[in-house]
Amino acid sequence: MAAYFASLNPNALWNAAPGGLAQGLIWGIMALGVYLTFRVLNFADMTCDGSFALGGSTAVMLILAGWSPEAVLPVSFLAGVAAGLVTGVLHTVLGIPDILAGILTQISLYSINLNIMGKANQAVPVNQVKVHFTSNIQYLGQTIALTLIVDVVIVGVFYWFLGTEIGSSIRATGINENMSRAQGINTGAMKVLALAVSNGFIALSGGILSEYQGFADVKMGQGSIVIGLAAVIIGEVLAEAIVGKRLNFIMRLSFTIIGAIVYYFVYVFVLWLKFPADDMKLLTAIVVAIFLAVPYLKKLRTTSFHGLVHRNAKLAAAGRAQKQAGSRKEEQ
């Protein structure tokens, strides 16, 4: 055991932290897309894994075709929009349940991504093309600053969009679809629109990550829905613990990105502890399960019979203390 801890180098953890921050900010864009469907629309969208890889493969192949790294990112966004539209149409027009509609699109995107790239992965010619999102240690500070700006802009766009009439209709659809339909809202159109916007930002995140890591892989989006959910849940738990009742919507969006950063710092820390990389999916599942359980257990503690007895006992003890204090004053 002593030899194990002696083998851990604190400098290695310190040097890996900026990379974890950069990846957390990139995945934070994807987490915002997941937040839109998972929390706002109340839609279990499984398209995420496929649309994330779609954005990456589209970006890399356009760069190889001579496009500038800046110009490929809007196209990655539009590719994700198209994927979200397919899921929306499968659900609203053909009546396929939300989870199955997302899974069908996700499966089809695997073959589509293979056809786009021509093989399982493609590399960005970093020696010939200057990318602004890079893992090169010399420009990592620039990458972090640029990604942070992108995150702030997207949070602002989300906050503005969901405050418009269309955005309010999307939120109403997620809260109560039947009541929204009774109020004249086209809930089907709202679902399709939300899915398109969500997967657009997810694909944009995939495009940025492909530039950052220097390649796109057909499996790069595998498990991304779990990472997105982890970021959302971690962000919500931290927001409620830190801000409490003052928590507003823009803070929820901001803490979603913070959740992604925290997740990647945990990821970096676990790798620093020399855990096998093959066990990272298991770790992700455990982390998500813990953060999902925290709000439930906290609520259970305050509403359970045991908690009620404990609170009543504290109130009774406080009452007896007040009576004793009052009797002492009367004696004096």
Side-chain angles (χ1 to χ4, degrees), residues 24 27-28 31 227-239 252-266 287 291:
W27 283 91
I227 298 175
L229 291 175
V232 172
I233 301 302
I234 291 171
E236 288 179 343
V237 172
L238 291 177
R252 290 184 183 275
L253 295 175
S254 301
F255 269 95
T256 297
I257 297 174
I258 294 174
I261 295 172
V262 170
Y263 170 82
Y264 258 90
F265 275 138
V266 172
V287 170
F291 277 91

Side-chain angles (χ1 to χ4, degrees), residues 88 103 114 117 137 151 161 201 204 288 316:
I103 290 174
L114 277 174
M117 292 190 291
I137 191 65
D151 284 355
F161 173 69
F201 283 109
L204 174 63
V288 173

Side-chain angles (χ1 to χ4, degrees), residues 5-321:
F5 284 107
S7 67
L8 300 177
N9 185 1
N11 290 330
L13 179 62
W14 177 259
N15 293 333
L21 175 60
Q23 290 199 63
L25 290 170
I26 294 172
W27 283 91
I29 301 171
M30 186 273 298
L32 288 173
V34 173
Y35 183 89
L36 179 58
T37 52
F38 181 65
R39 278 290 184 243
V40 178
L41 189 61
N42 195 24
F43 189 102
D45 182 27
M46 301 297 293
T47 316
C48 177
D49 290 15
S51 57
F52 188 84
L54 175 65
S57 59
T58 301
V60 170
M61 294 310 295
L62 288 177
I63 290 174
L64 290 174
W67 288 49
S68 68
E70 300 83 9
V72 303
L73 296 179
V75 182
S76 292
F77 176 85
L78 293 176
V81 169
L85 288 174
V86 171
T87 301
V89 169
L90 289 175
H91 175 64
T92 59
V93 177
L94 301 182
I96 299 174
D98 51 3
I99 294 178
L100 290 178
I103 290 174
L104 288 173
T105 308
Q106 177 196 128
I107 292 172
S108 63
L109 284 173
Y110 185 88
S111 297
I112 291 172
N113 292 332
L114 277 174
N115 283 294
I116 290 174
M117 292 190 291
K119 55 182 181 179
N121 52 68
Q122 288 281 3
V124 177
V126 291
N127 295 327
Q128 304 173 16
V129 179
K130 182 182 179 181
V131 293
H132 297 291
F133 300 95
T134 175
S135 58
N136 189 323
I137 191 65
Q138 295 180 347
Y139 304 103
L140 198 53
Q142 169 189 302
T143 299
I144 293 172
L146 187 57
T147 311
L148 180 60
I149 293 172
V150 173
D151 284 355
V152 171
V153 170
I154 292 176
V155 167
V157 169
F158 262 56
Y159 184 73
W160 166 80
F161 173 69
L162 292 174
T164 63
E165 184 176 349
I166 295 176
S168 298
S169 299
I170 292 174
R171 293 162 65 183
T173 300
I175 295 171
N176 191 323
E177 183 177 352
N178 293 328
M179 182 60 72
S180 300
R181 193 180 297 112
Q183 296 297 320
I185 297 174
N186 188 338
T187 56
M190 295 301 105
K191 287 183 178 181
V192 172
L193 178 60
L195 287 166
V197 173
S198 169
N199 283 281
F201 283 109
I202 291 169
L204 174 63
S205 177
I208 293 175
L209 183 65
S210 67
E211 292 188 12
Y212 174 83
Q213 63 188 12
F215 68 93
D217 189 275
V218 71
K219 293 183 179 181
M220 65 183 289
Q222 195 174 54
S224 59
I225 181 64
V226 181
I227 298 175
L229 291 175
V232 172
I233 301 302
I234 291 171
E236 288 179 343
V237 172
L238 291 177
E240 291 176 3
I242 296 172
V243 182
K245 295 181 179 180
R246 295 173 295 172
L247 185 62
N248 56 32
F249 186 63
I250 197 165
M251 287 183 181
R252 290 184 183 275
L253 295 175
S254 301
F255 269 95
T256 297
I257 297 174
I258 294 174
I261 295 172
V262 170
Y263 170 82
Y264 258 90
F265 275 138
V266 172
Y267 187 93
V268 168
F269 181 73
V270 171
L271 288 179
W272 177 72
L273 292 175
K274 299 183 180 179
F275 276 51
D278 294 339
D279 294 340
M280 294 310 298
K281 298 296 182 185
L282 174 62
L283 172 70
T284 300
I286 293 173
V287 170
V288 173
I290 291 172
F291 277 91
L292 280 171
V294 166
Y296 172 76
L297 295 176
K298 185 178 179 181
K299 182 179 179 182
L300 188 66
R301 183 181 178 183
T302 57
T303 58
S304 65
F305 179 74
H306 177 74
L308 180 63
V309 171
H310 183 67
R311 289 195 304 275
N312 288 339
K314 288 178 65 176
L315 290 173
R320 286 195 298 269

